Structures are given as C-alpha cells and as structure tokens.
Amino acid sequence: MATPERVAELSDNLDAARARLARACTAAGRDVDDVDLLVVTKFFPAADVRALIGLGVRAFGESREPEAGRKAAELRTDTAESLAFHMIGQIQRKKAKTVGRWADRVHSLDSERLADALDTAVAAALDDGDRHTPLEVLLQLNLDSDPDRGGVVVDDLEALADHVAGCDHLRLRGLMVIAPQSETPEVWMERAASIRAGFLDHRPDAVEFSAGMSGDLDEAVRNGSTCVRVGTAIMGARPIRSP
Ligand SMILES: *Cc1c(COP(=O)(O)O)cnc(C)c1O
C-alpha cells in the first residue's frame, strides 16, 4: 500500500495537473471536458495506481511489457471499478500477443506488421474470453523522421490508416504524437495539428489526438489535443530512465 505521504503527494500533484489542464483549455478557448488526462504510471508500482484509483483516476498509460500487463491484471482483479489501460510506448512485435489481451487502447501503432500482430492477438483474446471489445488504436506520427522515436512518417500515414480499417478487431480512433526535442514544442504541435487536419479529411471519424506530456501540455492543448499523457508532473521523477 502507498504511504499516507505518497497518497497526499499524488493527490496534490493530480489536483495541480487538473488545474493546469483546465487553465490551458480556458486559455485556448476550449471546453475542459474535451481533453482527457491520461495519467502515465509506467515504472511506478501497482500501489501507486491503486492510490490514484482512490483519487478517482480510471485511465492509465503504460509503456513496457510485461510490467504493464502484470499491473493491469493485478489491478483489474482487486478493483471493482472499471479501469482503462492504454499502451503508449513502442511495441516489439513479439509483445503484441500480450498487449492485445490487456490494452483498451494503443497509442503507438506505427506499422502494418504491428497492426496485423495486434489484430491476431485481439482475435485470440476475444476467443478466449480474455477481452470483450475491439482494440482502439491511434497511429503514432513521426514528426522528424528519427527512426529511434517510432511512429509512421506522414507520407505513409494514410496507407497505414487504410490497412487498419481492414483489420477486423482494431478500431482506428486518431493520431498520437511525441514532440521531438529540437525546435520548440509549439513548432512541433503546430506541425502535428496541420498534418492532423489533412488526415481528418481522409478519416473524419479518427478524431482523437493524443498530444502533450508534462513538458508541453499547454502547446498541445492550444493545438487541438484531445488527450494529454502526463507522467512526471503527477508521479514524480521516474525511478529509472524510460525507453
Ligand atoms: C513516459 C511517456 C509520457 C509521459 O511523459 P512525462 O514527461 O513524464 O509526462 C507520455 N507519453 C509517452 C509516449 C511516454 O512514453
């Protein structure tokens, strides 16, 4: 169990993050209900997630298998609330099998091969009764063509969307971006927003836009984000470096 001090810290940080998101929405002339706050709990223990559930959080972002799958299974077993677990990190294809069991949404789909692997995994999980819904997916857009960052380059975006549309157990919901470090966040978020506008002409239903983290939440909200993924600002510094 999280200590009372840890619960108080998470509670304060969560309040501050919610207030910051509300201010960002107001400044951007947007409704705060239009932007989800996804709390990124990667590298933090299930006890912290349990504390957050106590504070009213129901959706969590994770990025590492098998740690993520283990946490999701444990929390779903001992919590009555209905929880959503989102996979936000890069997925090695051999890990798709387990991600397809626990993830409600994948933010980091970036290749046809991964789409096929997830589709197969979800089909198996549905067959086994391990899940009951299709997998929601966002296509991760690579903004600067750095292959280490993951994501699909803009020229391949529509082809990947068409491929996903042909996968029986995947539901395309939108796009995800991670702003590179070069340039200011505003530059990248504006670029992402303009690519998204073109993409929406092609896929009008894919309205979700996962953009913004602890460091660039304001710029992301200004540029149309519908989901900010906040780790450090709520959880504190991660115990070990993230991939
Ligand atoms: C870790 C991570 C986050 C959270 O980043 P913070 O800067 O800690 O808020 C958001 N998105 C992705 C894809 C991540 O891997």
Side-chain angles (χ1 to χ4, degrees):
M1 246 182 38
T3 63
E5 291 76 20
R6 179 61 172 155
V7 176
E9 179 187 15
L10 289 172
S11 175
D12 289 348
N13 291 349
L14 186 62
D15 286 348
R18 284 174 173 154
R20 181 176 161 206
L21 179 58
R23 279 196 305 276
C25 288
T26 305
R30 302 185 56 198
D31 189 331
V32 70
D33 292 335
D34 292 343
V35 188
D36 294 328
L37 175 63
L38 183 69
V39 182
V40 177
T41 47
K42 66 183 182 203
F43 299 101
F44 286 92
D48 280 349
V49 181
R50 230 171 260 125
L52 289 163
I53 293 167
L55 296 167
V57 180
R58 296 291 178 266
F60 302 93
E62 287 284 339
S63 78
R64 260 199 338 181
E65 271 295 83
E67 174 206 311
R70 279 204 287 264
K71 256 152 79 179
E74 178 184 334
L75 290 156
R76 282 184 167 130
T77 306
D78 65 20
T79 316
E81 310 297 337
S82 136
L83 307 175
F85 290 95
H86 295 208
M87 178 58 169
I88 63 174
Q90 277 189 55
I91 306 172
Q92 292 169 276
R93 219 156 32 101
K94 61 174 193 245
K95 305 258 175 80
K97 199 166 166 183
T98 53
V99 172
R101 294 200 176 255
W102 62 262
D104 297 283
R105 177 175 286 194
V106 164
H107 291 226
S108 45
L109 182 59
D110 61 359
S111 74
E112 296 183 5
R113 280 158 48 128
L114 179 58
D116 291 342
L118 285 170
D119 194 35
T120 303
V122 172
L126 287 166
D127 267 356
D128 296 347
D130 275 4
R131 68 179 298 144
H132 305 285
T133 54
L135 177 63
E136 303 196 341
V137 298
L138 308 181
L139 308 185
Q140 182 181 345
L141 178 63
N142 183 322
L143 288 167
D144 66 353
S145 306
D146 172 357
D148 287 346
R149 212 182 298 282
V152 58
V153 295
V154 60
D155 288 346
D156 297 338
L157 191 58
E158 290 190 4
L160 180 56
D162 293 345
H163 185 85
V164 168
C167 293
D168 285 345
H169 308 293
L170 306 185
R171 297 289 177 269
L172 178 62
R173 293 288 186 237
L175 301 180
M176 183 271 247
V177 292
I178 301 173
Q181 296 296 310
S182 60
E183 317 271 358
T184 62
E186 186 71 35
V187 167
W188 291 118
M189 290 301 172
E190 279 178 12
R191 188 164 307 167
S194 99
I195 293 168
R196 178 190 179 218
F199 182 70
L200 279 170
D201 288 338
H202 183 70
R203 292 276 157 197
D205 293 339
V207 294
E208 296 294 332
F209 183 37
S210 170
M213 327 202 296
S214 296
D216 55 10
L217 178 155
D218 298 85
E219 292 86 349
V221 168
R222 222 170 12 250
N223 286 286
S225 171
T226 63
C227 173
V228 292
R229 310 175 305 268
V230 179
T232 312
I234 294 173
M235 309 305 293
R238 281 184 279 281
I240 44 176
R241 226 180 89 77
S242 66

